[in-house]
Amino acid sequence: MIHRKPLTAALFLAPALAIYLLIVAYPLFQGISLSLTDSKVGNAGHFVGAANYAKLATDGDVLRALGITVVYAAVVVVVQNGIGLLLARALYNRPRVRRLGNALVLVPTLMSAVMAAFIWNSLLSPDGSINSLLRAAGLDALTRVWLGDPATALWAIALVNIWMFAGYSASIFLAGYMNLPSDLLDAARVDGASGWQRFTAVEWPLLAPALTVNITLSLIGSLKVFELPLVMTNGGPAGSTTTLTMLIFFKIFGGQGSFAYGATIATLLLVVVVVLASTTQALLRRREDRI
């Protein structure tokens, strides 16, 4: 019986492992292999080694897209989780509306990114609801061509991303709140601690696991954003919303047909996601261990 356990475990793992190898590992290997060639449309390509990777270091389009992607991710992660935390705390302190409120904040998350992009395209258009409300409030000076101005386009897309997933972050934080030991919170109230003191001394430290999950998920999701900039601005205006995923799309399908170089940029994006997500998670896990 003892000797059968490893075999039984292997049999249970085999289907999942086969699917992983077929859907994840094999395409990844093929993509990396493709990045080592000069393949283009209708051309199988020849092996060029690390030439494509050397080109990345001097390619202004790649460096700009990398900067846009990192800045976008930083803004989305901070604001999305900040709003999610505020929503979670508000729902936790209001048990009567907690269940309904949690369901309502998740509604945008259930919407497809393409549908959300079309809706917000309408809202953010020059004659859309956002500018109409500003004009009605006498704030005509604040009206903008939100998606047509390089100074605001990226932040408009970030707003939609935050609107979609702040509720998701709130649900994870709320689950963390529901697991807080009530005796500690009650003791803090008895001792006369204010709401802010209870949050900083009790709630925030004990929400560390929920924070780790939220930061990791939102970081990975925002680094890989694609549908929102594709539908809302198509990478414009003047390349101000061209993230790494958009640049990969343009290199492969935007008329250039550079399969190999697109795969190279995709590999760069993979490395960026893995490094940033792993580093962030390691730091947050270390924080959990210190609590």
Side-chain angles (χ1 to χ4, degrees):
M1 180 67 68
I2 295 177
H3 296 290
R4 291 181 181 176
K5 287 184 178 180
L7 178 60
T8 302
L11 290 175
F12 276 108
L13 289 173
L17 180 60
I19 293 174
Y20 174 83
L21 291 174
L22 179 64
I23 297 178
V24 178
Y26 178 71
L28 176 61
F29 174 77
Q30 287 293 96
I32 295 175
S33 300
L34 184 62
S35 71
L36 301 176
T37 70
D38 58 359
S39 175
K40 292 189 176 183
V41 176
N43 176 15
H46 303 88
F47 180 78
V48 295
N52 288 327
Y53 291 95
K55 182 180 176 182
L56 291 176
T58 58
D59 189 331
D61 290 340
V62 172
L63 296 177
R64 184 186 184 193
L66 176 60
I68 290 172
T69 302
V70 172
V71 170
Y72 176 89
V75 171
V76 169
V77 168
V78 172
V79 179
Q80 175 183 312
N81 285 288
I83 294 174
L85 182 59
L86 291 174
L87 289 172
R89 195 171 194 274
L91 291 173
Y92 178 71
N93 290 327
R94 292 165 179 78
R96 292 184 178 180
V97 300
R98 184 185 300 155
R99 185 172 298 178
L100 176 61
N102 192 32
L104 290 176
V105 298
L106 279 173
V107 171
T109 306
L110 303 177
M111 187 178 299
S112 74
V114 173
M115 181 60 68
F118 278 118
I119 291 173
W120 279 91
N121 266 359
S122 176
L123 295 175
L124 293 167
S125 66
D127 297 321
S129 299
I130 303 298
N131 281 339
S132 296
L133 288 174
L134 290 173
R135 293 189 187 99
L139 301 173
D140 297 59
L142 297 181
T143 59
R144 296 286 188 278
V145 183
W146 300 100
L147 297 176
D149 186 347
T152 57
L154 186 67
W155 313 127
I157 296 173
L159 169 68
V160 180
N161 197 327
I162 293 164
W163 172 79
M164 284 190 66
F165 295 107
Y168 185 76
S169 297
S171 294
I172 295 175
F173 278 126
L174 183 59
Y177 264 109
M178 299 304 294
N179 288 322
L180 294 181
S182 57
D183 53 340
L184 285 179
L185 294 173
D186 293 338
R189 290 191 185 93
V190 171
D191 290 341
S194 65
W196 176 251
Q197 289 172 327
R198 291 197 304 271
F199 174 76
T200 55
V202 180
E203 297 172 11
W204 178 246
L206 295 179
L207 286 173
L211 179 67
T212 300
V213 173
N214 265 332
I215 293 291
T216 303
L217 292 178
S218 58
L219 177 62
I220 294 173
S222 55
L223 286 172
K224 299 191 304 176
V225 65
F226 176 68
E227 294 95 334
L228 293 179
L230 176 67
V231 175
M232 296 180 72
T233 62
N234 197 34
S240 60
T241 61
T242 300
T243 60
L244 282 176
T245 53
M246 287 296 299
L247 189 59
I248 294 166
F249 176 79
F250 291 147
K251 292 296 182 182
I252 297 177
F253 302 107
Q256 300 182 34
S258 183
F259 291 172
Y261 197 53
T264 306
I265 301 173
T267 304
L268 170 65
L269 175 60
L270 174 65
V271 172
V272 170
V273 171
V274 170
V275 170
L276 291 182
S278 299
T279 302
T280 302
Q281 191 171 53
L283 293 173
L284 292 173
R285 292 292 184 189
R286 190 177 302 171
R287 174 177 177 267
E288 290 182 38
D289 294 338
R290 290 198 301 266
I291 296 174

